[in-house]
Amino acid sequence: MPLPIVAIVGQPNVGKSTLFNRIINERVAIVEDRPGVTRDRNYARASWMGHQFSIIDTGGITWEDSTIDEEIRAQAEIAIEEANVIVMLADASQGVTSLDERIAHLLYRADKPVLLAVNKADNPEQRTDIYDFYSLGLGDPIPVSGSHGTGIGDLLDEVVKNFSADAEKTEEGVISFSVIGRPNVGKSSIVNRLLGEERVIVANEEGTTRDAIDTPFVKDGTKFRVVDTAGIRRRGKVYEKTEKYSVMRAMSAMERSDVAILVLDASTGIREQDKHVAGYAHEAGLGMIIAVNKWDLPKKDSSSGKDFEAVIREEFSYLDYAPIVFVSAKTGKNIDQLPKMVKEVYENKNQRIQSSVLNDLLLEASRLVPAPMVKGKRLRVYYMTQVKTNPPTFVVFCNDPELMHFSYQRFLINQLRENFDFTGTPIKILPRKRK
């Protein structure tokens, strides 16, 4: 089952991005003290008291006539449509505004749990002086301070109370993967080939698949769940609401997948949109496989595959860990390889290495390439331990994290790949100072 989705909505400049960052404990959303800075949705995973959920930060809602304001409002409306719980954020320093009232009326029609949080309630007087917000008809207002962190726990307590029990269930022993890519690259055709039946509508026009469809199947004794996402268009270039809605569904599908198969079109080559789609999956920490579809169409010679692979490696340099397979949904070429590759990537993504083995590797790596000097100081690496899987994440304790240059982190990642494979999965290195 997909994770519950929480959307933060409100008028401009009430502190939605600050609250979003506070909840996920990272500085992800752009925060600036002027309206309109957040123009799109930001997505992240969060947790509270053992409950996992996705959270969306939306742009400020207005009813101005400008194109950008219409775009922001449309994006926020989609977030409201998709969310399981909605947090409306207001500003204690402004009091109840006519825009707050209009947004509240919009939320009445959502027929979903709506919590009213009043931000910038930074001191006891402000936290008690919020009675006017009862007039919005959204129940008890919850005073919070995104900048100071007060009241956030009370808000999240109410948020998780509104999650249904089914929304957080996950099925054990099932490998979930999504088939992603820009419109019309053949994602649905690949899914149909995998399943051996016409389960997904296929048509020769962009955007035929409007929804994300979860389909379980078994291959060679392994249980899989495939999610065929709607074709992702770059969000700034999508104007039809149903297309914007499909983007959000696709993002949600990626977030609940273990592995993503990025589908490219051999007949049209790599486009800028392909890079945006790949970027979403990479940032989500998914395992990755690159499938070049329609390999039956281009005219090829013996070097065509190597040439295309070289282009892929150049254009997607950050996906150098992702295996590449050339397929044809039309003829079935190499489609049967995909489940086996998904399983391999999934196992690599969940691989755990003992600390003693890691430190033997670290010692040998230090002999091969001594830690560098940075600004007259030498980096000293003491030991390494794996702190999580999915994706594999390693903490490297050293004398000064600022001395660990990206290139040396890259060297350590390459050593991990050479010794433990990790094909198809990103690896994270977190330098920490030894206490």
Side-chain angles (χ1 to χ4, degrees):
M1 296 292 291
L3 293 177
I5 296 174
V6 179
I8 304 174
V9 301
Q11 65 175 303
N13 215 31
V14 294
K16 295 183 296 300
S17 296
T18 303
L19 177 63
F20 174 86
N21 291 339
R22 177 67 68 172
I23 290 173
I24 67 171
N25 292 317
E26 293 182 36
R27 194 176 179 85
V28 173
I30 299 170
V31 179
E32 189 173 330
D33 192 21
R34 63 182 178 88
V37 173
T38 305
R39 295 187 175 182
D40 212 337
R41 297 183 306 276
N42 272 318
Y43 304 79
R45 286 187 180 183
S47 63
W48 180 252
M49 303 300 289
H51 297 271
Q52 303 290 322
F53 58 96
S54 296
I55 187 165
I56 307 169
D57 171 36
T58 65
I61 302 174
T62 71
W63 272 265
E64 302 293 334
D65 293 332
S66 70
T67 301
I68 187 63
D69 285 315
E70 291 176 1
E71 270 294 293
I72 292 172
R73 188 169 66 252
Q75 294 282 343
E77 288 174 352
I78 297 164
I80 292 168
E81 184 76 17
E82 183 72 1
N84 301 102
V85 181
I86 301 163
V87 175
M88 176 182 168
L89 194 64
D91 186 338
S93 63
Q94 294 183 33
V96 179
T97 67
S98 59
L99 201 49
D100 285 329
E101 293 172 347
R102 195 163 181 181
I103 293 169
H105 283 291
L106 175 67
L107 297 179
Y108 295 156
R109 301 196 299 269
D111 193 28
K112 293 181 179 181
V114 178
L115 300 173
L116 174 61
V118 182
N119 194 28
K120 306 180 185 179
D122 299 331
N123 56 58
E125 291 77 16
Q126 290 172 315
R127 287 195 287 276
T128 56
D129 191 22
I130 58 172
Y131 299 108
D132 288 347
F133 289 93
Y134 278 98
S135 66
L136 294 176
L138 296 175
D140 295 336
I142 304 170
V144 300
S145 173
S147 58
H148 295 99
T150 56
I152 307 299
D154 295 334
L155 173 62
L156 292 176
D157 284 342
E158 295 302 315
V159 166
V160 299
K161 284 180 184 178
N162 287 281
F163 293 162
S164 68
D166 290 340
E168 297 177 90
K169 288 181 181 177
T170 56
E171 190 174 350
E172 295 294 329
V174 177
I175 301 174
S176 177
F177 68 96
S178 50
V179 181
I180 65 173
R182 58 180 168 85
N184 210 35
V185 293
K187 300 182 301 300
S188 297
S189 297
I190 288 175
V191 171
N192 287 336
R193 273 285 181 177
L194 281 169
L195 301 176
E197 53 184 307
E198 295 294 318
R199 294 288 292 271
V200 183
I201 297 170
V202 179
N204 191 27
E205 62 179 89
E206 293 192 354
T208 302
T209 307
R210 298 289 192 187
D211 212 341
I213 304 166
D214 286 16
T215 308
F217 69 100
V218 178
K219 181 72 173 177
D220 297 329
T222 301
K223 295 179 180 179
F224 295 93
R225 179 184 294 108
V226 59
V227 179
D228 176 38
T229 63
I232 302 175
R233 297 174 185 267
R234 188 155 58 95
R235 287 178 286 180
K237 297 294 185 183
V238 180
Y239 298 103
E240 183 187 353
K241 183 174 180 179
T242 52
E243 290 289 354
K244 291 179 183 175
Y245 192 40
S246 74
V247 171
M248 187 167 183
R249 290 264 175 153
M251 297 289 288
S252 176
M254 281 192 274
E255 286 193 352
R256 68 180 191 271
S257 299
D258 301 301
V259 179
I261 299 176
L262 172 67
V263 182
L264 304 178
D265 187 335
S267 64
T268 60
I270 297 170
R271 295 181 180 176
E272 198 63 27
Q273 266 184 287
D274 294 317
K275 299 177 186 177
H276 288 283
V277 175
Y280 293 146
H282 177 70
E283 289 168 11
L286 294 181
M288 293 284 290
I289 297 165
I290 300 174
V292 183
N293 191 29
K294 306 182 185 179
W295 196 241
D296 56 298
L297 295 180
K299 294 181 180 179
K300 301 177 291 295
D301 55 35
S302 59
S303 63
S304 296
K306 292 182 179 179
D307 291 343
F308 204 107
E309 183 169 344
V311 173
I312 291 172
R313 292 306 183 197
E314 182 178 353
E315 296 291 335
F316 298 95
S317 58
Y318 56 93
L319 294 180
D320 59 352
Y321 55 84
I324 299 171
V325 58
F326 294 90
V327 303
S328 170
K330 183 177 180 180
T331 67
K333 176 183 173 66
N334 291 335
I335 296 296
D336 283 345
Q337 290 188 27
L338 293 176
K340 180 181 178 182
M341 295 175 72
V342 167
K343 183 180 180 181
E344 180 185 356
V345 170
Y346 174 82
E347 290 173 347
N348 287 337
K349 195 180 178 201
N350 288 277
Q351 185 179 183
R352 184 173 288 277
I353 311 300
Q354 291 183 351
S355 295
S356 58
V357 177
L358 286 173
N359 286 294
D360 288 343
L361 177 144
L362 187 62
L363 181 63
E364 183 61 27
S366 299
R367 289 173 179 166
L368 288 173
V369 179
M373 296 280 289
V374 179
K375 296 181 180 179
K377 296 181 179 179
R378 181 170 295 281
L379 171 69
R380 298 189 182 278
V381 179
Y382 300 115
Y383 58 97
M384 177 192 299
T385 187
Q386 185 174 0
V387 293
K388 68 185 291 286
T389 61
N390 196 21
T393 304
F394 301 87
V395 169
V396 178
F397 291 93
C398 59
N399 58 330
D400 186 349
E402 293 185 2
L403 298 179
M404 186 172 288
H405 190 267
F406 170 80
S407 60
Y408 198 73
Q409 292 187 40
R410 187 72 176 174
F411 165 69
L412 293 178
I413 289 174
N414 289 338
Q415 291 298 304
L416 288 166
R417 292 197 186 283
E418 288 178 14
N419 285 271
F420 307 113
D421 193 4
F422 287 118
T423 297
T425 180
I427 295 175
K428 294 183 179 180
I429 294 285
L430 304 177
R432 294 288 186 268
K433 185 173 183 178
R434 189 180 71 172
K435 295 181 180 180

